[in-house]
Amino acid sequence: MSAGWFRRRFLPGGPLPEPQPAGPRSSPVPYHRPRFLRGSGSSPGAPDASRRPDSRPVRSPARGRTLPWNAGYAEIINAEKSEFNEDQAACGKLCIRRCEFGIEEDQEWLTVCPEEFLTGHYWALFDGHGGPAAAILAANTLHSCLRRQLEAVVEGMMASQPPMHLSGRCVCSSDPQFVEEKGIRAEDLVIGALESAFQECDDVIGRELEASGQVGGCTALVAVSLQGKLYVANAGDSRAILVRRDEIRVLSSEFTPETERQRIQQLAFIYPELLADEFTRLEFPRRLKGDDVGQKVLFRDHHMNGWSYKQVEKSDLKYPLIHGQGRQARLLGTLAVSRGLGDHQLTVLDTNIQLKPFLLAIPQVTVLDVDQLALQEDVVVMATDGLWDVLSNEQVAQLVRSFLTRNREDPHRFSELAKMLIHSTQGKDGAAGEGQVSYDDISVFVIPLHNQGQGSCGH
Amino acid sequence: MSAGWFRRRFLPGGPLPEPQPAGPRSSPVPYHRPRFLRGSGSSPGAPDASRRPDSRPVRSPARGRTLPWNAGYAEIINAEKSEFNEDQAACGKLCIRRCEFGIEEDQEWLTVCPEEFLTGHYWALFDGHGGPAAAILAANTLHSCLRRQLEAVVEGMMASQPPMHLSGRCVCSSDPQFVEEKGIRAEDLVIGALESAFQECDDVIGRELEASGQVGGCTALVAVSLQGKLYVANAGDSRAILVRRDEIRVLSSEFTPETERQRIQQLAFIYPELLADEFTRLEFPRRLKGDDVGQKVLFRDHHMNGWSYKQVEKSDLKYPLIHGQGRQARLLGTLAVSRGLGDHQLTVLDTNIQLKPFLLAIPQVTVLDVDQLALQEDVVVMATDGLWDVLSNEQVAQLVRSFLTRNREDPHRFSELAKMLIHSTQGKDGAAGEGQVSYDDISVFVIPLHNQGQGSCGH
């Protein structure tokens, strides 16, 4: 990304972007469910036309199909909010090869890897909006981007401290000392690779959507195991937690217009053109009305964590840049998340106001040192927001612990647990409070940490 | 601050700022030590010309002078790094009056307050650079800005939940519900007032420095007690910690080019003009040399928490936006802090490249619920960076606990403790490790929390 890119891309009056050659329009991304659901019982090509909201099927992999680390998976489609299930999932083995300079890659991920240098595993959930296309593209693409980014730095990952120069040629004898002073560790290269992979995947999705004339975006939550560590990268409002016998550890934060208010208001402060005089960047407890003009009301601006009062002017009556509360909070009245992939063409209804400048594709990455955990029956639960809207971390942990205690021997228990968690959001088992029913798409991975190395995708 | 302000102020080619009427140049801010040091033994008007680095005097208030809450204070001037002590301090009683609309204020802070509505206390440390002027202006001004900002919202602070409208006129019957949903509490108004007060004080300092032809900047660390809570606001690299019998709680974070790397790189990404082609925004473990060109070296950009490798181009050889490590880290090769007051005219040596666009005047505010603490011999230690460069939080806590245990009865013990902490940085008492001697200006407040309400400034 070159400096000045931002303005060229988003601001009126700047130099126009290079015209793209108008090739033939490619065909739309076909809808499908994750490959590892093949043979699991219902038609993968289309939603079940006969389903009713109270009888939506919960799907999980066929019993003969083992996911990496014997992870469990289950999903449910929303209650007719959209025609398709906008969630997608992917998992598999990551085979990282050592790259020789100048040698082109031609090998496919998820195939046998005779030249593999380092292997890991990968689990990912994508929660789509505005159509299923972006989530499908992300599920098809992100692991390849990640493999490419990891292969570009894998030599540096093999030492506990990466070398200053990847080729190994030391220009300055004190190079290791500088790396030491900066505290750069091998895991920082994996974090960097995840950040770059999300960005690369977002670029790919942008090109693919444009070429096929489709629209949409998605969140992305990814867990990657490598060299004894589990990396959790999140862009959006899905969530991963570690459930231990006597501890819950939150492995991701949600990125929504509310949690990223200051970053978003800051951008609107620096570039007011992005709001096209249609929105106000200020936050008020509610949308203001004509009667409020002249009064002093609570507000906050981009630099404030606290609140203050301001005298209302007419321009404060515009629609707020971020509006609504909790689940209802929206960016530019349109979007409920502030990070994710896609949405390159998304504009506010009936305007040319773009959402993309306010969105980040970059994930936040947390690292769990699996080798250092005294493993009990530790599991990582990853799920899209539909689960967490209805169940708290504590409720999920409670369900996990009591289920695993009752089902120590069943080899399919993690898949059963994933299904059980989804059933608990449907107002049947009573784990969620009265009336707490989720009508959203929900996808859940349950990853047992003591099964490291067991099972792999594709067989 | 109007939208677009940033570009008008800092970018070439934008519309010029309104010309200011060229009044007569005001006289320079006179140098002085804090008022509460009057009568403490050495000449307050000028540094002691006869001092040697190994015999710098540690100063604290005269024995008859009690600071708010019987707080202790001590300071030491640097080892001839600068002619003046660039640290400044202030403390006093905060008298907040209820403001009637349209009535002009004329009362001075720190005087008797017959109409006071709410009272609190205030302790502040300012660590100057580039001359003592900004720190003196901040010590003279910030409390007035804070009083003004608090008075503007004090009516809203009297309820546990501030009203949507300050005048009390409810436009919409569900207003309280919106305030509730946003979770806005009285303390958020104090946080907002602190944020606005720092910003206002920065504006005042900018005008005063310009009018008097002086330069300089300072960090600001402020503690304010109000309604049973202690608010700690920090912009810069000073630090406050709470020392309890069996716990240390850190009450502030440091803001330096290293801790705010991503914010600073992000701005340079959006506005490359700010670097005038003289600097690179990318971070490398060390400054690159000609021999590095063409090689792949470790780097990170604004969106990265992790590290990656990039092939070095000639433009990467420019001086880095943020360079150096730890104490040596500098913004644009010039400044060791990334937040604070002043520095409005500061440019990179021999260039027109401004520092101010990268600096924030806004503090981070933490709230300590003093009423909820089971008070033992709890004290808050606030000090400029010279102390923390040499003593760790744990070492300070150890010194505090053992000193207070040995000196239970001395009414001046908190002042003696502040002096002792400074002596511990001078390589005599051995609390800091071998060779760990601070040559910097150091100022320390020790605020005992169980003395709430005892003592006040000005007598």
Side-chain angles (χ1 to χ4, degrees):
Chain A
M1 243 182 303
S2 70
W5 161 88
F6 184 89
R7 267 171 290 172
R8 283 199 300 280
R9 167 73 175 79
F10 293 118
L11 292 188
L16 291 173
E18 302 262 315
Q20 300 295 319
R25 172 162 284 202
S26 62
S27 47
V29 187
Y31 177 76
H32 60 76
R33 298 312 306 150
R35 290 177 200 191
F36 57 72
L37 285 182
R38 279 179 199 160
S40 71
S42 40
S43 151
D48 183 348
S50 69
R51 70 188 156 77
R52 297 197 320 254
D54 56 348
S55 66
R56 292 179 281 147
V58 175
R59 297 186 63 189
S60 62
R63 287 227 147 189
R65 189 178 294 274
T66 312
L67 303 188
W69 290 13
N70 196 27
Y73 174 83
E75 63 169 48
I76 190 169
I77 190 173
N78 65 78
E80 298 184 326
K81 189 180 72 173
S82 61
E83 186 185 358
F84 296 108
N85 185 341
E86 295 186 348
D87 281 6
Q88 289 292 339
C91 66
K93 195 172 172 186
L94 263 184
C95 302
I96 318 298
R97 296 175 310 154
R98 191 200 283 264
C99 278
E100 297 298 325
F101 256 98
I103 295 183
E104 270 303 302
E105 323 170 25
D106 57 0
Q107 221 161 353
E108 261 313 293
W109 188 78
L110 283 184
T111 63
V112 194
C113 310
E115 300 170 49
E116 75 195 38
F117 184 61
L118 186 69
T119 61
H121 291 91
Y122 169 90
W123 302 262
L125 296 177
F126 306 96
D127 184 347
H129 52 255
I136 294 169
L137 285 166
N140 293 349
T141 310
L142 182 55
H143 54 266
S144 308
C145 300
L146 180 59
R147 191 199 54 164
R148 210 161 22 240
Q149 295 291 344
L150 285 169
E151 288 183 346
V153 301
V154 66
E155 285 204 52
M157 285 162 54
M158 301 319 290
S160 68
Q161 211 165 68
M164 169 92 183
H165 295 84
L166 194 58
S167 61
R169 188 154 76 80
C170 204
V171 168
C172 167
S173 62
S174 52
D175 279 352
Q177 175 204 323
F178 286 105
V179 172
E180 166 101 31
E181 279 177 1
K182 290 273 180 190
I184 307 171
R185 304 146 303 174
E187 69 182 66
D188 292 310
L189 294 181
V190 182
I191 295 170
L194 279 159
E195 292 168 331
S196 303
F198 273 59
Q199 186 66 61
E200 183 189 337
C201 184
D202 187 51
D203 295 341
V204 170
I205 290 173
R207 287 194 299 270
E208 294 280 331
L209 289 179
E210 192 180 1
S212 63
Q214 288 177 292
V215 295
C218 67
T219 69
L221 172 62
V222 170
V224 174
S225 74
L226 261 186
Q227 296 177 299
K229 295 195 165 74
L230 190 77
Y231 298 82
V232 176
N234 187 43
D237 61 354
S238 297
R239 186 187 301 168
I241 65 172
L242 169 68
V243 178
R244 315 192 69 200
R245 196 180 295 157
D246 42 17
E247 182 194 4
I248 299 171
R249 215 179 293 179
V250 177
L251 302 178
S252 64
S253 314
E254 282 96 78
F255 296 98
T256 67
E258 278 186 306
T259 65
E260 297 210 276
R261 173 186 61 85
Q262 287 192 273
R263 174 179 72 72
I264 292 164
Q265 284 184 316
Q266 170 78 25
L267 187 61
F269 167 71
I270 292 187
Y271 284 122
E273 302 91 314
L274 295 172
L275 303 185
D277 268 336
E278 299 277 344
F279 290 84
T280 169
R281 77 165 185 272
L282 300 182
E283 181 185 14
F284 303 98
R286 62 162 166 76
R287 187 165 179 198
L288 301 183
K289 313 169 177 194
D291 286 355
D292 292 305
V293 172
Q295 294 215 58
K296 285 195 163 181
V297 308
L298 285 166
F299 88 107
R300 55 181 174 176
D301 200 353
H302 65 100
H303 61 282
M304 299 166 71
N305 260 306
W307 288 79
S308 191
Y309 286 95
K310 76 159 292 195
Q311 194 147 15
V312 178
E313 298 158 44
K314 255 188 113 176
S315 64
D316 298 322
L317 304 187
K318 290 175 192 165
Y319 200 85
L321 172 57
I322 299 168
H323 189 55
Q325 198 60 32
R327 291 272 296 149
Q328 264 59 54
R330 291 290 181 278
L331 174 62
L332 290 164
T334 306
L335 202 57
V337 289
S338 58
R339 296 205 191 186
L341 309 173
D343 290 320
H344 292 72
Q345 306 300 328
L346 185 61
T347 53
V348 177
L349 195 66
D350 294 332
T351 74
N352 289 324
I353 300 171
Q354 298 181 77
L355 275 287
K356 191 67 175 171
F358 295 99
L359 305 178
L360 280 187
I362 304 299
Q364 189 188 57
V365 183
T366 59
V367 186
L368 186 65
D369 209 333
V370 177
D371 276 354
Q372 298 300 309
L373 285 177
L375 296 174
Q376 308 148 348
E377 277 246 302
D378 298 357
V379 299
V380 169
V381 178
M382 292 168 60
T384 49
D385 64 326
L387 184 84
W388 310 105
D389 287 341
V390 173
L391 297 175
S392 67
N393 295 352
E394 290 69 27
Q395 286 172 319
V396 168
Q398 198 52 48
L399 289 168
V400 166
R401 288 174 191 137
S402 79
F403 183 91
L404 291 180
T405 307
R406 291 196 315 272
N407 298 275
R408 288 193 191 282
E409 305 305 326
D410 182 359
H412 304 288
R413 64 193 186 285
F414 300 109
S415 214
E416 293 300 320
L417 173 51
K419 281 197 258 185
M420 186 274 281
L421 287 174
I422 290 185
H423 279 300
S424 301
T425 65
Q426 305 297 305
K428 291 168 191 159
D429 295 12
E434 261 312 305
Q436 283 285 77
V437 180
S438 177
Y439 297 103
D440 202 0
D441 301 319
I442 301 180
S443 309
V444 179
F445 273 119
V446 177
I447 307 170
L449 296 187
H450 64 283
N451 279 330
Q452 280 178 64
Q454 279 186 27
S456 79
C457 203
H459 53 213
Chain B
M1 243 183 303
S2 71
W5 160 89
F6 184 90
R7 265 171 292 171
R8 282 199 301 279
R9 167 74 176 79
F10 293 117
L11 293 188
L16 292 173
E18 302 262 313
Q20 299 295 318
R25 173 163 283 202
S26 61
S27 47
V29 187
Y31 177 75
H32 61 74
R33 299 311 307 149
R35 289 179 201 189
F36 56 72
L37 285 182
R38 278 177 199 162
S40 71
S42 39
S43 151
D48 184 349
S50 69
R51 69 189 158 77
R52 297 196 321 254
D54 57 348
S55 67
R56 291 179 283 147
V58 175
R59 297 185 62 189
S60 63
R63 288 227 146 189
R65 190 179 292 275
T66 312
L67 303 187
W69 289 13
N70 196 29
Y73 174 83
E75 64 169 48
I76 190 169
I77 190 172
N78 65 77
E80 297 183 327
K81 189 179 72 173
S82 61
E83 186 185 0
F84 296 108
N85 185 341
E86 294 186 347
D87 281 6
Q88 289 291 340
C91 67
K93 195 173 173 184
L94 263 184
C95 302
I96 318 298
R97 295 174 312 154
R98 191 199 282 263
C99 278
E100 297 296 324
F101 256 98
I103 294 183
E104 270 304 302
E105 321 170 26
D106 56 0
Q107 224 162 350
E108 263 312 294
W109 188 78
L110 285 184
T111 63
V112 195
C113 312
E115 299 170 49
E116 74 195 39
F117 183 61
L118 187 68
T119 61
H121 290 91
Y122 169 90
W123 301 262
L125 295 177
F126 307 96
D127 185 347
H129 52 256
I136 295 170
L137 285 166
N140 293 348
T141 310
L142 182 56
H143 54 266
S144 307
C145 300
L146 181 58
R147 192 199 54 165
R148 215 167 12 246
Q149 294 291 345
L150 285 169
E151 287 184 346
V153 301
V154 65
E155 284 204 53
M157 285 163 53
M158 302 319 291
S160 69
Q161 210 166 70
M164 168 93 183
H165 295 84
L166 194 59
S167 61
R169 188 153 78 79
C170 204
V171 168
C172 167
S173 63
S174 52
D175 280 350
Q177 176 206 322
F178 286 105
V179 173
E180 166 102 31
E181 280 177 0
K182 290 271 180 191
I184 306 170
R185 304 145 304 173
E187 69 182 66
D188 292 311
L189 294 181
V190 182
I191 295 170
L194 278 159
E195 292 168 332
S196 303
F198 273 60
Q199 186 67 60
E200 183 189 336
C201 183
D202 188 51
D203 296 340
V204 171
I205 290 173
R207 287 195 300 270
E208 294 278 332
L209 288 179
E210 192 181 1
S212 63
Q214 289 177 292
V215 295
C218 67
T219 69
L221 172 63
V222 170
V224 174
S225 74
L226 262 185
Q227 297 178 300
K229 294 195 165 76
L230 190 77
Y231 298 82
V232 176
N234 188 44
D237 61 355
S238 297
R239 188 188 300 167
I241 65 172
L242 169 68
V243 178
R244 315 192 69 198
R245 197 180 295 158
D246 43 17
E247 183 194 6
I248 299 171
R249 215 179 293 178
V250 177
L251 302 177
S252 64
S253 314
E254 282 95 78
F255 296 99
T256 68
E258 277 186 306
T259 65
E260 297 209 276
R261 173 186 62 83
Q262 285 191 273
R263 175 179 72 73
I264 292 165
Q265 285 183 316
Q266 170 78 23
L267 187 61
F269 167 71
I270 292 187
Y271 283 123
E273 302 90 314
L274 295 172
L275 303 185
D277 268 336
E278 300 277 344
F279 291 84
T280 168
R281 77 165 185 273
L282 300 182
E283 182 185 13
F284 304 98
R286 62 163 165 76
R287 188 165 178 197
L288 300 183
K289 312 170 179 195
D291 285 355
D292 293 306
V293 172
Q295 294 214 58
K296 286 196 163 181
V297 307
L298 285 166
F299 89 106
R300 56 181 173 177
D301 200 354
H302 66 98
H303 60 282
M304 299 166 71
N305 261 306
W307 288 79
S308 191
Y309 286 95
K310 76 159 291 198
Q311 192 147 16
V312 179
E313 298 159 43
K314 254 188 115 177
S315 64
D316 297 323
L317 304 187
K318 291 176 191 166
Y319 200 85
L321 172 57
I322 299 168
H323 190 55
Q325 198 58 32
R327 290 273 297 150
Q328 263 60 53
R330 291 288 180 280
L331 173 61
L332 290 164
T334 305
L335 203 57
V337 290
S338 58
R339 296 205 190 186
L341 310 173
D343 290 319
H344 293 72
Q345 306 300 329
L346 185 62
T347 53
V348 176
L349 195 67
D350 293 331
T351 74
N352 290 323
I353 300 171
Q354 299 180 77
L355 274 289
K356 192 66 175 171
F358 295 99
L359 305 178
L360 280 188
I362 304 300
Q364 190 188 57
V365 183
T366 58
V367 186
L368 186 65
D369 210 332
V370 178
D371 277 354
Q372 299 299 311
L373 287 178
L375 296 175
Q376 308 149 346
E377 278 245 301
D378 298 357
V379 299
V380 169
V381 178
M382 293 167 60
T384 49
D385 64 327
L387 184 84
W388 309 105
D389 287 341
V390 173
L391 297 176
S392 68
N393 295 352
E394 289 68 28
Q395 286 173 318
V396 167
Q398 199 51 48
L399 289 168
V400 165
R401 287 174 191 136
S402 80
F403 183 92
L404 291 179
T405 306
R406 292 196 314 273
N407 298 275
R408 287 195 192 282
E409 304 305 326
D410 181 359
H412 303 290
R413 65 193 187 284
F414 299 110
S415 214
E416 293 300 320
L417 173 51
K419 280 198 258 183
M420 186 273 282
L421 288 174
I422 290 186
H423 279 299
S424 301
T425 65
Q426 304 298 304
K428 291 167 192 160
D429 295 12
E434 261 314 305
Q436 282 286 76
V437 179
S438 176
Y439 298 103
D440 201 359
D441 301 319
I442 302 179
S443 309
V444 179
F445 273 119
V446 177
I447 307 170
L449 296 186
H450 64 283
N451 278 330
Q452 277 179 66
Q454 278 185 28
S456 81
C457 203
H459 55 213

